[in-house]
Amino acid sequence: MDVSWIPGDSDLLVTVVAGLVVLGGVGAALVGKTRKAPPREAPPARDDAPVAAPPAPTEAPEAPAQATVESPEAVDHRFGRLRGRVGTGLGQSLLAIFRRGGLSQDDWDELEETLLMADVGAAATDELMADLKARLKAAPDGDPRELLRAALLDVVDPALDRSLALGEAGDGALHSAIVVGVNGVGKTTTVGKLARVLVAEDRSVVLGAADTFRAAAADQLETWGSRVGVPVVRSHQDGADPASVAFEAADRARAEQAEVLLVDTAGRLQNKQGLMDELGKIVRVVSKVAPPSEVLLVLDATTGQNGLTQARVFGQVAPLTGIVLTKLDGTAKGGIVLAVQRELGVPVKFVGLGEGADDLAPFDAAGFVDSLLGE
């Protein structure tokens, strides 16, 4: 027998260690297989088992944006809030002359020039000066401010009816108003502001964008309407027939049982016969649904006597019922109020006294005179 190799103690130890290593490898392999085994299927849920709620979303979806409808300022006392903006220097200039005591001929000449420069107009100036002379003669020691206030009030005439003839809120009838005027006087803006005035009085309104010759007019009116939740009837084709748009607006107002229809019209130069004919046509077609109870002429107070020329021409097309004077703030031409009423026999019903959405106010004759005199 070959006894050249007989394991010793050290060899025995190596053999044992090797065996342990082999066993450890086999165990690790078995554990790996156990971990990689697929999970066992859950038993089918019973019909009466509670259903788990789906996980809540990490962020709620945004709600669709909605147009914000504004609440216009109440109409009462609006002129009182704004009358400090009547920036005419007419009253102060007149008071400065009257405070000199006895008036010389030069003083009377200066008074006449002041009135004419303020666009009071020649006829109204003669009337006002005659009235002042009579008052001074009757009360030579009277307060110049009070005498002047009384004379101005007589010309402005507080007795004139300055309300809009559009019925009462909730009367169930459709009333229409057509707004006319040349471009640049703030006509479309005035229509939008008038809509706010009527909405503040709880009236339902439909706007007709019949100024189809100015591309931005319908867009501008639509913006005004959306701010107070008022529908606007318009054409998306430039140069469309204005009368057709006006009739469609009147028809919609009737169908929706609205209380007021406001129609904006084109305002190209008043000496264009085509424009005047078109305005007459608009009046006729609207009358088939609701005869206009108001034809409002918008005038820019800064244009002075040119406004009277415009008023006469527009008055030949449609019977004017009222004047809206815009841009009366910051002008020394406030005398146009006196001139336009005397010349046309048509009252100033509204005045624009600022850039704000609610800066259109019903005209207050006494408040206007007081603002002229700084009271």
Side-chain angles (χ1 to χ4, degrees), residues 71-150:
S71 297
E73 179 186 353
V75 180
D76 293 344
H77 310 301
R78 190 181 289 191
F79 186 88
R81 175 179 67 80
L82 300 173
R83 84 180 197 187
R85 301 186 194 177
V86 180
T88 71
L90 172 60
Q92 295 301 322
S93 298
L94 296 180
L95 283 175
I97 297 173
F98 270 75
R99 283 173 179 153
R100 297 171 188 170
L103 298 182
S104 65
Q105 185 57 46
D106 288 341
D107 292 329
W108 284 109
D109 291 342
E110 182 181 350
L111 175 61
E112 181 179 15
E113 182 180 354
T114 300
L115 292 171
L116 293 174
M117 291 293 292
D119 279 329
V120 174
T125 293
D126 291 343
E127 181 181 318
L128 185 56
M129 290 188 62
D131 188 12
L132 286 172
K133 289 179 178 179
R135 291 176 188 275
L136 283 173
K137 184 176 181 180
D141 297 327
D143 182 357
R145 180 185 294 269
E146 289 302 319
L147 296 175
L148 181 56
R149 183 179 186 277

Side-chain angles (χ1 to χ4, degrees), residues 160-166 294 349-350:
L160 288 176
D161 183 7
R162 302 177 191 277
S163 62
L164 290 176
L166 297 176
E294 289 282 1
K349 293 194 172 184
F350 280 83

Side-chain angles (χ1 to χ4, degrees), residues 300-339:
D300 181 342
T302 64
T303 62
Q305 294 299 302
N306 286 337
L308 292 179
T309 303
Q310 296 170 17
R312 294 188 191 100
V313 174
F314 279 102
Q316 295 171 5
V317 179
L320 300 178
T321 60
I323 305 294
V324 180
L325 270 178
T326 62
K327 308 177 188 178
L328 190 59
D329 57 317
T331 173
K333 303 293 187 179
I336 190 63
V337 173
L338 312 179

Side-chain angles (χ1 to χ4, degrees), residues 5-370:
W5 179 81
I6 299 177
D9 294 339
S10 59
D11 293 328
L12 181 59
L13 178 61
V14 170
T15 301
V16 172
V17 170
L20 291 174
V21 170
V22 172
L23 291 174
V26 173
L30 292 174
V31 171
K33 288 183 179 180
T34 302
R35 289 180 179 176
K36 294 178 181 177
R40 298 170 64 186
E41 292 185 4
R46 302 196 315 269
D47 291 341
D48 59 348
V51 179
T58 56
E59 185 176 349
E62 293 184 3
Q66 295 184 358
T68 301
V69 177
E70 301 175 3
S71 297
E73 179 186 353
V75 180
D76 293 344
H77 310 301
R78 190 181 289 191
F79 186 88
R81 175 179 67 80
L82 300 173
R83 84 180 197 187
R85 301 186 194 177
V86 180
T88 71
L90 172 60
Q92 295 301 322
S93 298
L94 296 180
L95 283 175
I97 297 173
F98 270 75
R99 283 173 179 153
R100 297 171 188 170
L103 298 182
S104 65
Q105 185 57 46
D106 288 341
D107 292 329
W108 284 109
D109 291 342
E110 182 181 350
L111 175 61
E112 181 179 15
E113 182 180 354
T114 300
L115 292 171
L116 293 174
M117 291 293 292
D119 279 329
V120 174
T125 293
D126 291 343
E127 181 181 318
L128 185 56
M129 290 188 62
D131 188 12
L132 286 172
K133 289 179 178 179
R135 291 176 188 275
L136 283 173
K137 184 176 181 180
D141 297 327
D143 182 357
R145 180 185 294 269
E146 289 302 319
L147 296 175
L148 181 56
R149 183 179 186 277
L152 290 171
L153 275 175
D154 277 356
V155 179
V156 178
D157 194 359
L160 288 176
D161 183 7
R162 302 177 191 277
S163 62
L164 290 176
L166 297 176
E168 299 293 333
D171 64 6
L174 172 60
H175 307 273
S176 66
I178 295 178
V179 182
V180 301
V182 300
N183 279 345
V185 296
K187 180 166 41 61
T188 301
T189 298
T190 296
V191 174
K193 290 183 178 182
L194 278 174
R196 296 178 66 88
V197 169
L198 294 167
V199 168
E201 296 177 344
D202 296 323
R203 301 186 188 227
S204 55
V205 181
V206 171
L207 300 180
D211 183 357
T212 60
F213 297 108
R214 189 166 62 90
D219 293 338
Q220 184 182 359
L221 197 61
E222 216 164 32
T223 299
W224 279 103
S226 65
R227 292 173 66 174
V228 289
V230 170
V232 178
V233 176
R234 60 169 295 178
S235 171
H236 292 279
Q237 178 182 355
D238 291 342
D241 181 21
S244 295
V245 176
F247 181 79
E248 183 182 348
D251 198 42
R252 177 170 175 178
R254 176 174 56 185
E256 297 186 359
Q257 297 183 337
E259 296 173 300
V260 178
L261 167 68
L262 288 178
V263 180
D264 183 25
T265 61
R268 289 186 175 177
L269 293 177
Q270 75 275 8
N271 58 359
K272 301 288 186 180
Q273 185 60 37
L275 172 62
M276 295 297 110
D277 292 341
E278 196 62 56
L279 289 176
K281 184 179 177 182
I282 289 174
V283 172
R284 290 193 300 273
V285 300
V286 170
S287 296
K288 295 179 180 179
V289 179
S293 50
E294 289 282 1
V295 178
L296 301 173
L297 173 65
V298 181
L299 295 176
D300 181 342
T302 64
T303 62
Q305 294 299 302
N306 286 337
L308 292 179
T309 303
Q310 296 170 17
R312 294 188 191 100
V313 174
F314 279 102
Q316 295 171 5
V317 179
L320 300 178
T321 60
I323 305 294
V324 180
L325 270 178
T326 62
K327 308 177 188 178
L328 190 59
D329 57 317
T331 173
K333 303 293 187 179
I336 190 63
V337 173
L338 312 179
V340 73
Q341 289 191 165
R342 187 192 180 285
E343 200 73 20
L344 302 174
V346 177
V348 174
K349 293 194 172 184
F350 280 83
V351 289
L353 294 169
E355 298 287 337
D358 291 318
D359 287 350
L360 183 75
F363 183 72
D364 178 353
F368 174 74
V369 171
D370 289 341

